[in-house]
């Protein structure tokens, strides 16, 4: 598992750097907010379609490691292309790079059960370690991109993304993943249909996916609203990175606090509970009268949200047969990324176009989280659980 953690960690660190590094690159070249928005959209939207296809391809591949290596090589090539492309053409390599997103997250994660079994590692422990990788990369990626962009140049930050992706590809090539049985390789389109049908027809998995996707989409509104809220508090928009880092630190603390108990709980119920708790903590954000107080509440929100990710991963593992796990994982990642993108766009529109106060948007997000949890619980009910009319 050590090789896996290194490979997946490098891949996710590079991935988390892209958003900040590319925004800095566009700003340094053009200063255009419109082009910045187009580049971010180009990077996030393609994964909605690429996830199911790449996941199905990964499931039926006899050597899935090669696909993950190729995925990282493509990301590295697109990083280099961004350095060479004229500013007006930056959305094109960003679009191609965005196709790789589901494999960086769900693709790697789908290998954990096989690698844990081969290495005789406890699956729950391996899953917690994998989830912590996401949080660590979410802290380190934007921070590293910001430091490199300020200390050297945005182009340097983008070049480092390419270098990390290539090193990650080399580390990934050293992984030894046990193959699926020979009869577990249907045609690509058959695999896509099976995976989507399984995701939609398995009640606990459907419920966990519903709650996590809706909750993550609502968090997208906070992503674009938080800079305005910090400005209202007098901290300035530049403090946004600090706030997000504190949130991710809270997530790490939350995972570490409950990871030994997680195996004994139904994962979908953990998702419903933590999504609702996250919504409750968001209600406290408007009450924070200063930046320091807000950071304390943000840390609490991270602690509430932290177990959501390992519980979601566990739900996919527990309720999905091995030959479909890659597609279910990448499809879940695609849905969350797509929902987050829509939420981010909606948050910016509410504040800048419709004139909503940032506090109002945060309260809206809290309400959305509190609604997402019961909607997920309803989606998790199977027909035999529902009362019948006598």
């Amino acid at each position: 598992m050590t090789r896996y953690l290194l490979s997946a960690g490098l891949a996710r660190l590079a991935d988390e750097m892209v958003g900040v590094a590319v925004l800095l690159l566009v700003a340094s070249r053009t200063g255009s907010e419109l082009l910045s928005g187009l580049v971010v959209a180009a990077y996030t939207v393609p994964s909605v379609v690429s996830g199911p296809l790449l996941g199905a391809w990964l499931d039926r591949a006899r050597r899935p490691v090669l696909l993950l290596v190729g995925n990282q090589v493509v990301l590295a090539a697109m990083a280099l292309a961004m350095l060479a492309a004229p500013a007006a053409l930056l959305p094109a390599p960003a679009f191609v790079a965005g196709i790789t997103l589901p494999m960086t997250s769900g693709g790697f994660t789908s290998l954990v059960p096989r690698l844990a079994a081969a290495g005789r590692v406890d699956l729950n422990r391996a899953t917690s370690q994998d989830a912590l990788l996401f949080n660590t990369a979410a802290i380190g990626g934007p921070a590293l991109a910001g430091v490199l962009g300020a200390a050297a140049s945005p182009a340097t930050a983008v070049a480092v993304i390419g270098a990390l992706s290539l090193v990650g590809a080399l580390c990934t090539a050293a992984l030894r993943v046990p193959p699926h049985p020979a009869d577990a390789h249907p045609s690509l389109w058959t695999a896509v249909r099976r995976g989507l049908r399984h995701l939609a027809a398995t009640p606990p998995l459907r419920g966990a996916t519903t709650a996590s996707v809706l909750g993550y989409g609502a968090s997208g509104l906070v992503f674009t609203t938080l800079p305005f809220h910090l400005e209202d508090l007098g901290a300035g928009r530049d403090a946004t990175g600090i706030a997000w880092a504190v949130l991710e630190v809270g997530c790490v603390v939350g995972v570490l606090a409950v990871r030994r108990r997680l195996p004994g709980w139904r994962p979908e119920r953990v998702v419903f509970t933590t999504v609702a708790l996250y919504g409750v903590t968001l209600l406290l954000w408007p009450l924070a009268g200063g930046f320091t107080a807000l950071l304390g509440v943000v840390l609490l929100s991270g602690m509430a949200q932290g177990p959501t990710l390992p519980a979601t991963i566990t739900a996919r593992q527990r309720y999905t047969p091995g030959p479909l796990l890659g597609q279910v994982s990448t499809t879940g990642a695609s849905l969350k990324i797509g929902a987050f993108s829509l939420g981010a766009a909606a948050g910016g529109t509410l504040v800048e176009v419709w004139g909503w106060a940032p506090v109002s948007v945060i309260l809206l997000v809290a309400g959305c989280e509190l609604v997402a949890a019961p909607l997920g619980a309803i989606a998790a009910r199977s027909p035999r659980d529902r009362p019948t009319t006598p």
Side-chain angles (χ1 to χ4, degrees), residues 83-384:
L83 294 177
L89 297 181
L90 282 175
F95 181 90
V96 177
I99 295 173
T100 69
L101 269 176
M103 292 280 271
T104 302
S105 53
F108 274 96
T109 295
S110 70
L111 303 182
V112 170
R114 283 188 275 173
L115 289 170
R120 297 180 180 179
V121 177
D122 178 69
L123 179 57
N124 293 313
R125 180 179 178 83
T127 299
S128 294
Q129 292 174 335
D130 190 47
L132 287 172
L133 267 185
F134 280 98
N135 300 127
T136 304
I139 297 170
L144 180 58
V147 169
L148 289 173
S153 68
T156 301
V158 175
V160 169
I161 292 172
L164 288 174
S165 298
L166 287 177
V167 174
L170 293 175
C171 294
T172 302
L175 294 177
R176 298 292 178 264
V177 181
H180 286 308
D183 59 351
H185 298 282
S187 68
L188 180 62
W189 292 111
T190 299
V192 169
R193 290 196 300 271
R194 287 181 181 177
L196 293 175
R197 187 183 306 118
H198 176 78
L199 184 61
T202 307
L205 183 60
R206 182 178 63 228
T209 302
T210 298
S212 62
V213 169
L214 291 177
Y216 201 63
S219 294
L221 278 82
V222 180
F223 182 78
T224 49
T225 303
L226 183 57
F228 299 98
H229 184 52
L230 292 176
E231 195 170 44
D232 290 344
L233 291 178
R237 299 186 186 185
D238 294 340
T240 304
I242 297 174
W244 284 119
V246 169
L247 181 76
E248 295 298 338
V249 169
C251 288
V252 171
V253 173
V255 173
L256 293 176
V258 301
R259 67 175 179 175
R260 292 189 178 182
R261 297 185 178 183
L262 282 176
W265 298 334
R266 292 278 294 270
E268 69 275 19
R269 292 178 181 174
V270 175
V271 173
F272 307 149
T273 301
T274 53
V275 168
L277 287 175
Y278 178 57
V280 171
T281 63
L282 283 171
L283 293 174
L284 302 176
W285 286 31
L287 302 179
F291 182 56
T292 302
L294 179 66
L295 289 183
V297 179
V298 168
L299 180 68
L300 182 63
S301 293
M303 293 172 64
Q305 188 187 52
T308 304
L309 180 58
T312 302
I313 295 173
T314 300
R316 294 169 185 165
Q317 294 170 349
R318 185 172 298 182
Y319 303 121
T320 305
L324 294 178
L325 185 55
Q327 189 198 348
V328 168
S329 297
T330 55
T331 300
S334 295
L335 292 173
K336 290 177 69 175
I337 293 168
F340 187 88
S341 301
L342 292 175
T349 301
L350 289 175
V351 174
E352 293 196 87
V353 179
W354 290 4
W356 280 40
V359 168
S360 299
V361 178
I362 291 172
L363 292 175
L364 173 64
V365 174
C368 290
E369 300 287 346
L370 292 173
V371 170
L375 286 179
I378 293 171
R381 296 175 63 186
S382 62
R384 63 176 177 273

Side-chain angles (χ1 to χ4, degrees), residues 18-40 82-83 85-91 93-94 153-155 158:
V18 172
V20 174
V22 171
L23 282 177
L24 293 175
L25 185 67
V26 175
S28 66
R29 289 187 180 180
T30 67
S32 171
E33 294 184 3
L34 175 60
L35 184 59
S36 297
L38 288 175
V39 171
V40 171
M82 290 179 196
L83 294 177
L89 297 181
L90 282 175
S153 68
V158 175

